Amino acid sequence: MKRLFLLSAVMMLCTSVWAGYICRGSVFDAQGEPLIGATVSVPGTAVATAADIDGNFALSVPDNTKELLISYVGYKNKTIDAAKEVGRVILEPESTVLQDVVVSQSVAKTRKTPVAVSTVDAPFIEAKLGGQEFPEVLKTTPGVWATKDGGGYGDAKINMRGFKSANVAQLVNGIPVNDMEWGGVYWSNWSGLSDVTSSMQTQRGLGAAIISTPSVGGTLNITTKSLDAKKGGTLFYGMGNDGMNHIGFSASTGLMKNGWAVTVMGSRKWGNGYIQGTKFDAFTWFVNVSKRINDKHQLSLTAFGSPQDHWQRNSNNGLTVEGWQNVKNYMNGESQYRYNPAFGYRSNGQAYVSNQNHFHKPQISLNHIWQIDYKSSLSTAVYLSIANGYGNSGQGRTSDYRSQWYGANNGVLTDTWRCADGTFDYAGIEEMNAASTTGSNMVMAHSINNHTWVGLVSTYKNEILPNMNLLVGLDVRYYAGLHQTKINDLFNGQYYIDDSSRKSVLATNNSAAADPNWQFQKLGVGDIVYRDYTGHVAQEGIYAQLEHSCLEDNKLTYFVAGSLNLNSDWLVNRFYYDKEHQRSETQNFLAGNAKAGVNYNIDRHNNVFLNAGYISRAPFMSAAFLSREVSNAVNPDAINEKCVSAEIGYEFHSPKFTAQVNGYFTRWMDQTMVKTNTMQDGTRYMMNMSGVASRHMGVEVAATYKPFSWLEFSGMFSYGDWVNDSNTTGYFYNSQSQPLANLSTGAIASGIMAEDHLWAKLNTKGRKVGGSAQSTGSLSMTVKPLKGWRIGVDWVASARNYSDYNITGNNLTPGQELQLGEPWRIPWGNQLDLNASYTFDFGGIRATLYGNINNLCNYNYIMDAYTSATVDGTWQNAYRIFYSFGRTYSLRLKLTF
Amino acid sequence: MKISVKNIFFALGATAVMASCGENAWNDHLDGFEPGVNYNNPIEGEFTMSAADYNAVASNSTNKSLAEAAGVDKALKAVGTNGKFSAQVTGKEYLPAFLASSSAPILSLRKAQR
C-alpha cells in the first residue's frame, strides 16, 4: 500500500511538472532565411530546443510559461510571449547597422505606412520564380498584371491597376530606374536582379516613396542585399526546358569586426528559349562594399549590371486567333503558339531572327549615412548609370521594303519572304540585294540607345519631437540618351542609300541637304541612317515629409509629404540638322506632388488606413517634342499630366491569419497623346491630343491562413473598373511646330487653336482601358509535409482582360470625330503552377533542391491582344495575339555555406 | 499527420494526371471557333476609307510604280486629292498595296519597329 501511494505521488508530481503545451513557430533573419539551430528556451529553466533546417521549432513547455527566449549567434536575443503558435520570429543582426534613409524611406512598413502593400522576400522568389520572368513572381499580388509579351528573355511586361510600366515607378535601393525619356522599364536589363534581391515590395497607388517618381499606378521597390547580408555564400546550378541553364555564386563576408562588409555575386543564364528562335545569354554581376566607419558614418558602394543578348519575338509578330491555327503545320508537332514569324535562315545556313536585343545598363551607387546625433541623420546616395546597347532595326529603301522585315503585319503572317516551311527567307533578301544594281534594298541596322545618367538623392531626417520625424531632401538628376541607327549588315548588297530618310531633311535645317546628291550617298556598315540624336533631361527637385506616431502605443501614424521638381528637356539632333541648328529649344516643366495618409491600429490585430494625393507630372520627352526622332519641333500644347488618387484599407494581422482589403480611386488626367503622319508632299505632320483622361477604381483583397506551422494557404482577388473618361480635341502641326490649316497644301493656320487650325476629335469616354486583366485572383497552398520538404501550388486566374489598341495618326482625320471602339473582352484564363524544394545536409553544407512546373495543365490562353481603335473588338478581328506559355519546368540545386 | 501527407501527395498526383489539356482547349471560349478549320480563306470585312487613307494610297510607292507603268500617275495623284478612286485607278487594283503597307489604318508598324 505504501509503495502504491509513493508511485501515485511520483506520477502526480511528474504530471504536474510536465503538464503543459507545445509552442510552435519558426525563426528567420530579415531576409527570410531560416536560422537553423537558433535556440528557443524558457527563461530561467533548462527547457530548450533548436530550430530545424526549415527554421521551425516545437518546444514542450510547462503550463505557466509566459515567455520564450530566442537566441542565435550574431543576432540580438528576442523575447516573445509564449503561445501554442508563435508564428514567424524575425531576429535582427547584433551589430548595429546605421539605417540608410534613402533606401528605407521608400519601403512601406506594416501597420504603420498607410499604403496598400505586398512584399515578397528572397526565399519566396527562390521558391516561385523557377524559369519565369522576374515580374511574373508578382502574379499572385493583387492589382498586378504580368505577361511575357512576345516571350523572349526579359521581354515581360508588368502593369499595375491598369497602368503600363511608364506609370509604375521602379526603384532599386531607393533609386529610380524608369527611363528618363519615356518612363518605361525594359525588364531584360533587370532580370538578373532576382538573384540578389533581398525583398521586392509592391506598393499600389501613390506608394511610400517621396522622391519624384511616376507612381501613378504603383511602385515596385526592390531592395538588394547589402550590409545586412549574412556571412557565407551560395553556389547554384539550375536547368530547365529548352536548354535553359543557370549557374551562379554569391559570397558575403558579413559585417566584419573592422567594419567592412563585402558581398559579391555573379551568374549566367542561357538557353534556347521556349519560343522558336529566342535564344538568350545573360550575365549578372553584383558587388557591394560597405564600411561602417564609426558610430556616425557608414559608406556603401553598390554596383550591378546584367549584360545580355537575346533574340526576340517582337510584340508586332503576334498573329490572329486564326493565324495561330494556320501555322500549326510549320511546327513539326510542337505547339503552334511557339511559332516565331521572324525566325529563319541566312544563305550560309545560320539561323537568324531580325529582332535581336543586346544591352548592358549597369548602375553604380555610393551611399553615405551620417548619424549626426541620436535624433538626426543625413543619408546621401550618388548614382551613375551608363547604358550601352541596341536592338535590331530592319531598314529599307521604301516603306514597303521596311515593312517586309516584319514577320507579321496587323496579325497577318507576311508572305513576301515566307518559305514553304514557314521560316523567314533571309537568304532571299541577300539574293535580292546581291542582284540589285542600286545597292541593298533592305539592310539590318542597330538601333542604338545608350545613356549616361547621374543623380543624387539626399535626405535629412530629424526627430523634431518624440515620434515625430521630419524628412527633407534633394533629388537631382541629369540624363543624356544617345539614339542612333547604324547599319550593321548590308545583307549581301554593295552599299545602301538612305534616300527615304534623307529626302525629309530640309536644307534650311541641315546644309548637307542642299546638295541633291547627298541623299543618294552610298553608305556601308557603321554608317548612320534615319536618326542620330541625343535627348537630354535634367531634373532638380526637393521633397519633404512629416511623419508622426501618437496615442497609446503609437496607435496612430499620419504623414504629409510633398515634392517639387523642375524638369528640362532638350534635343541635339545631328541627322536632320547641322551643327548650327542641331540644338532644340529647352522645354521646362514645373511638377510636383502632395500626399497625406493616416494609419490607425485599432488593437494588436486590426488596423485601418487612408491615403490621398495629387501628382502633377512633367510630360515625358516623347510628348514634350512632337516627333523627337526626326524633328526638334516642340509640342506647343504639352502640359503636365495630373493624377488624383485616394485609397482606404483595412488589415488584420495575427500569427495564423492575415488579411488586407483596400479600395482605391484614381483619375489620370491630361495624358499627353502625340501622333504623327506624312503629308502628301512627304513631309511629316504631328497632332497633339490634350486632355485625355481615364479613371481607375477597384477593390483588392489578400489573405494568408497558416493553421499549422507546416501548412499555409493564401489567396488574393482584385477587381478593377478601369475606363477611359474623356472626349477630347487635338490640333495638327507641321514639323516646325506651326499650326496647319490644310494637310494637302501644308498651308499654315492663322494661329494656334484659331478657327482655321485643323483639328480632330477623339471620343473615348466609357471605353475600357485595354492591355490588362481587370480581374485577377489566385489561390496558393504551401505544405511542409516532412522535415526539409516544401511543396507549393499556385492557381492563378485572370478575367475581364481587355485587348489593347493603338490610336495612330491615320485614325485621326482633320475635322472628324473618332469614336474609340470597345476593346475585345478576352475570355478568362487560368493556370496551375507547382513548386517544391527539399533542403538537406550535404556534408555539413545546407543544400536545397528546387523544382518548378509552370502551367502544369499546359493550358494555352490569350494574355495579350490588340484590336483596332475604330471598331469594336472581337476574337475574329483581334491581332498581335500572344497565348500563354504551355508547360515549362526548371530544377535548381543551391548550396549554402 | 501521415494520412494527411499521403492525401496531399495523392491530390497533387491526381491533379498532375488530370491536368493535361489540349492546346486548343481554351479556344472553346471563342464563339464560332472550330479547331482544324483552314482559316487561310480570305475573310470578308467592311472598311471605310478616310481622306488620309486616300492620300496614303496615292503616295504608296508600289502604287506609284503601277501607275507609272500604266501611264496613269496623274490619275493616282488625283485619288489623293479627290478622296475617291476613278475608272483609271480602281480600288481593286490599287488597294492591296496600301492594305499591305504600314500606312494601313489598323496599325502603323514602322515607328514601332524602326
Side-chain angles (χ1 to χ4, degrees), chain A residues 18-19 111 114 252 290 338 347 351 373 377 380 388 461 495 530 627 640 668 706 733 744 787 874 885:
Chain A
W18 292 109
R111 285 171 56 84
S252 178
S290 298
R338 303 173 71 169
S347 55
D373 54 36
S377 67
T380 305
N388 284 288
K461 182 180 178 183
Y495 54 87
Y530 177 57
S627 186
N640 282 8
W668 181 27
K706 199 172 178 181
Y733 296 89
S744 301
K787 190 174 278 191
T874 64
F885 277 19

Side-chain angles (χ1 to χ4, degrees), chain A residues 309-508:
Chain A
D309 275 296
H310 74 280
W311 287 13
Q312 299 171 294
R313 181 171 65 175
N314 188 283
S315 59
N316 292 307
N317 282 337
L319 303 177
T320 60
V321 168
E322 297 165 347
W324 283 116
Q325 301 308 310
N326 294 339
V327 297
K328 174 73 180 168
N329 55 335
Y330 295 148
M331 293 303 290
N332 296 322
E334 292 269 22
S335 167
Q336 64 265 41
Y337 305 122
R338 303 173 71 169
Y339 176 70
N340 186 348
F343 175 73
Y345 294 91
R346 301 288 293 266
S347 55
N348 60 7
Q350 280 195 340
Y352 190 79
V353 163
S354 55
N355 304 114
Q356 299 180 19
N357 185 280
H358 169 96
F359 268 102
H360 186 201
K361 291 186 179 175
Q363 191 186 74
I364 303 159
S365 64
L366 180 65
N367 294 39
H368 173 242
I369 308 166
W370 177 21
Q371 191 70 44
I372 301 165
D373 54 36
Y374 72 97
K375 61 176 191 175
S376 65
S377 67
L378 180 69
S379 295
T380 305
V382 184
Y383 59 94
L384 167 70
S385 168
I386 304 168
N388 284 288
Y390 56 80
N392 269 12
S393 172
Q395 302 293 311
R397 284 288 302 278
T398 63
S399 61
D400 292 340
Y401 279 128
R402 279 193 291 277
S403 304
Q404 287 175 25
W405 282 112
Y406 310 153
N409 201 348
N410 300 340
V412 178
L413 200 63
T414 54
D415 55 6
T416 312
W417 302 106
R418 188 68 50 199
C419 297
D421 63 355
T423 57
F424 199 97
D425 186 15
Y426 293 105
I429 295 174
E430 290 176 299
E431 204 176 309
M432 172 188 70
N433 286 343
S436 169
T437 55
T438 54
S440 295
N441 293 318
M442 297 168 70
V443 294
M444 188 50 68
H446 287 162
S447 184
I448 295 166
N449 296 292
N450 298 342
H451 77 231
T452 303
W453 179 352
V454 291
L456 178 144
V457 183
S458 185
T459 304
Y460 172 75
K461 182 180 178 183
N462 194 334
E463 190 175 2
I464 51 176
L465 290 171
N467 295 319
M468 180 182 278
N469 287 303
L470 174 70
L471 280 80
V472 291
L474 196 64
D475 173 15
V476 183
R477 309 170 202 176
Y478 167 71
Y479 164 101
L482 172 75
H483 307 283
Q484 294 175 323
T485 303
K486 204 178 260 187
I487 299 171
N488 77 303
D489 192 338
L490 288 169
F491 260 71
N492 249 7
Q494 296 292 310
Y495 54 87
Y496 178 68
I497 295 173
D498 189 29
D499 51 335
S500 64
S501 301
R502 290 191 175 188
K503 72 181 180 191
S504 305
V505 180
L506 303 175
T508 49

Side-chain angles (χ1 to χ4, degrees), chain A residues 314 316 321-322 325-326 328 335-337 393 395 400 402-403 406 408-410 501 530 680 783 785 791 793 806 810-811 813 824 827-828 832 857-862 875 879 883 887, chain B residues 1 4-5 8-9 12 15-16 19-21 23-24 26-27 29-33 38-40 43 50 55 60-62 77 81 100-103 105-110 112-114:
Chain A
N314 188 283
N316 292 307
V321 168
E322 297 165 347
Q325 301 308 310
N326 294 339
K328 174 73 180 168
S335 167
Q336 64 265 41
Y337 305 122
S393 172
Q395 302 293 311
D400 292 340
R402 279 193 291 277
S403 304
Y406 310 153
N409 201 348
N410 300 340
S501 301
Y530 177 57
Q680 206 172 340
V783 58
I791 299 168
V793 186
N806 263 348
N810 272 321
N811 298 137
T813 307
W824 173 42
W828 80 291
L832 194 67
C857 308
N858 201 30
Y859 189 58
N860 296 108
Y861 57 102
I862 292 177
W875 71 265
Y879 59 96
Y883 283 75
R887 187 185 298 116
Chain B
M1 171 70 179
S4 66
V5 172
I8 288 161
F9 275 112
L12 288 174
T15 307
S20 293
C21 295
E23 62 196 12
N24 270 327
W26 179 86
N27 288 334
H29 288 293
L30 309 175
D31 193 24
F33 175 86
N38 180 3
Y39 286 103
N40 279 314
I43 299 164
S50 68
N55 279 329
N60 184 283
S61 59
T62 308
K77 212 171 180 181
T81 319
S101 75
S102 57
S103 306
I106 295 174
L107 181 70
S108 175
L109 292 175
R110 183 186 172 197
Q113 283 207 341
R114 276 199 74 152

Side-chain angles (χ1 to χ4, degrees), chain A residues 132-144:
Chain A
Q132 299 180 99
E133 296 294 331
F134 195 17
E136 289 182 275
V137 80
L138 297 175
K139 65 189 179 189
T140 53
T141 300
V144 171

